Amino acid sequence: MELSDNLIREFRPSKKVVVLTGAGISAESGIPTFRGEDGLWKRYRVEELATPYAFQTNPKLVWEWYDWRRGIIAEAEPNPGHTAIAEMEQIFPDFFLITQNVDGLHRRAGNSEIIEIHGNLWQLRCVKEGTVRENYHVPLLDIPPTCECGALLRPHVVWFGESLDKEDLARSYNVIGECDLLLVVGTSAVVQPVASFPLMAKRRGAFLVEVNKEPTPISSLVDESLIGKAGEVLPALLGLIKEAYRGRQ
Ligand code: BJW
């Protein structure tokens, strides 16, 4: 893969950098993506598993699916793509990560300036009280799990047809609206409202870089489309950034 000097110049540490990730960043950790040949939506029906209606109709089925996914994620480790993004947070004083992933691997890799905009699969929310608690049992002790108040607990994630957390969304719009550089990694860029973030950044005048194993709907919008696996492209990119700016901030 050719990473040009011009591209590396865009990664000056003085820039405000935002990274936006999707399921593709965790694919090399063994976590299935949603779309594409091996994606979850090829094998499962989204309406039966990832909507409020599905949970109302069959909470047990929904929880069995999430319990299965939690089992896969519990066995997974952050990969070199996650690690490279964690190192970027150390290099760029003005850095922010927005992830659509619910697996928690970015935090495990070391990122702290992060919004998990579709929630986190290790958090459970009471459908009655709205209270959120962490739960790392794999498998879950009871399916469906319940709150002390007797009501059902649900995964603290954002399903189709649900609004994203207002504060997370406002903060995301802020950082996107101020960034100089947006690095979009491993997302099919079809799920709104996150899919519109690259266009917002472009309108603001930011430089856009995409890393994906195949072209996506935003490939024609971005300034550089790097086709390859995130776990290979990101460490290579990071290596060149470190070499170019060693000792300089
Ligand atoms: C690699 C790789 C490697 C692989 N290296 N790359 C406007 C117009 C039309 C519709 C809507 C609209 N506004 C809202 C909607 C409805 C809906 C929507 O967007 N639908 C579209 C699909 C048409 N949006 C919503 O409902 C959202 N809510 C909302 O907007 O509220 C207001 C509202 C509601 C209703 C109507 C109007 C307004 C909520 C969206 C919630 C998404 N939830 C999920 C599940 C989360 C919980 C869970 O995990 O179970 O979030 S769905 C799923 O998709 C998950 C992901 O975060 C999200 C995005 O997927 P992602 O990450 O892009 O993964 P993939 O699989 O799609 O792509 C992987 C990519 O990686 C691919 O490109 C590969 O090539 C690549 N790749 N290996 C690099 N090694």
Side-chain angles (χ1 to χ4, degrees), residues 8-80:
I8 302 305
R9 268 193 283 278
E10 293 294 335
F11 281 86
R12 285 189 297 282
S14 57
K15 293 227 173 169
K16 294 182 178 183
V17 174
V18 176
V19 178
L20 170 63
T21 63
I25 184 83
S26 294
E28 288 157 78
S29 295
I31 300 175
T33 61
F34 293 93
R35 297 165 189 85
E37 273 317 302
D38 304 323
L40 291 169
W41 299 151
K42 272 270 180 299
R43 284 178 283 158
Y44 303 96
R45 285 164 60 85
V46 58
E47 317 86 68
E48 285 174 10
L49 297 165
T51 64
Y53 179 73
F55 190 71
Q56 269 168 24
T57 317
N58 197 341
K60 185 165 177 285
L61 177 73
V62 171
W63 263 120
E64 281 167 353
W65 188 64
Y66 277 94
D67 196 39
W68 168 72
R69 286 177 58 203
R70 283 162 56 107
I72 295 174
I73 293 166
E75 296 287 314
E77 294 294 332
N79 66 55

Side-chain angles (χ1 to χ4, degrees), residues 23 28 34-35 66 69 118 158 161-162 187-188 192 212 230:
E28 288 157 78
F34 293 93
R35 297 165 189 85
Y66 277 94
R69 286 177 58 203
H118 288 162
V158 184
E162 291 189 311
T187 177
S188 57
Q192 296 292 349
N212 200 300

Side-chain angles (χ1 to χ4, degrees), residues 2-223:
E2 188 77 3
L3 297 172
S4 69
D5 291 348
N6 281 347
L7 171 64
I8 302 305
R9 268 193 283 278
E10 293 294 335
F11 281 86
R12 285 189 297 282
S14 57
K15 293 227 173 169
K16 294 182 178 183
V17 174
V18 176
V19 178
L20 170 63
T21 63
I25 184 83
S26 294
E28 288 157 78
S29 295
I31 300 175
T33 61
F34 293 93
R35 297 165 189 85
E37 273 317 302
D38 304 323
L40 291 169
W41 299 151
K42 272 270 180 299
R43 284 178 283 158
Y44 303 96
R45 285 164 60 85
V46 58
E47 317 86 68
E48 285 174 10
L49 297 165
T51 64
Y53 179 73
F55 190 71
Q56 269 168 24
T57 317
N58 197 341
K60 185 165 177 285
L61 177 73
V62 171
W63 263 120
E64 281 167 353
W65 188 64
Y66 277 94
D67 196 39
W68 168 72
R69 286 177 58 203
R70 283 162 56 107
I72 295 174
I73 293 166
E75 296 287 314
E77 294 294 332
N79 66 55
H82 293 104
T83 309
I85 294 174
E87 267 200 66
M88 285 181 191
E89 186 173 314
Q90 302 306 316
I91 292 175
F92 296 95
D94 204 326
F95 177 93
F96 209 84
L97 170 62
I98 302 170
T99 186
Q100 298 168 86
N101 299 345
V102 298
D103 55 34
L105 288 187
H106 282 301
R107 279 190 205 281
R108 281 180 54 198
N111 282 104
S112 58
E113 293 295 321
I114 174 170
I115 287 179
E116 293 169 317
I117 197 141
H118 288 162
N120 186 304
L121 195 136
W122 301 108
Q123 295 179 336
L124 277 51
R125 186 168 85 236
C126 173
V127 296
K128 189 168 163 212
E129 300 172 334
T131 49
V132 176
R133 79 262 354 245
E134 297 200 335
N135 174 309
Y136 293 96
H137 287 293
V138 174
L140 282 162
L141 302 178
D142 299 302
I143 291 187
T146 49
C147 181
E148 300 76 44
C149 76
L152 285 179
L153 291 167
R154 58 162 283 178
H156 188 44
V157 300
V158 184
W159 285 322
F160 280 112
E162 291 189 311
S163 299
L164 284 68
D165 179 84
K166 276 202 187 74
E167 278 177 27
D168 285 349
L169 201 51
R171 181 114 195 257
S172 299
Y173 286 144
N174 269 344
V175 293
I176 291 283
E178 287 178 358
C179 74
D180 302 314
L181 180 74
L182 177 65
L183 174 61
V184 185
V185 183
T187 177
S188 57
V190 293
V191 175
Q192 296 292 349
V194 175
S196 64
F197 290 0
L199 185 58
M200 284 178 58
K202 186 79 185 172
R203 287 201 178 125
R204 176 258 181 304
F207 190 85
L208 265 57
V209 182
E210 178 183 44
V211 176
N212 200 300
K213 67 173 189 157
E214 56 193 42
T216 72
I218 61 160
S219 300
S220 54
L221 175 79
V222 302
D223 298 286

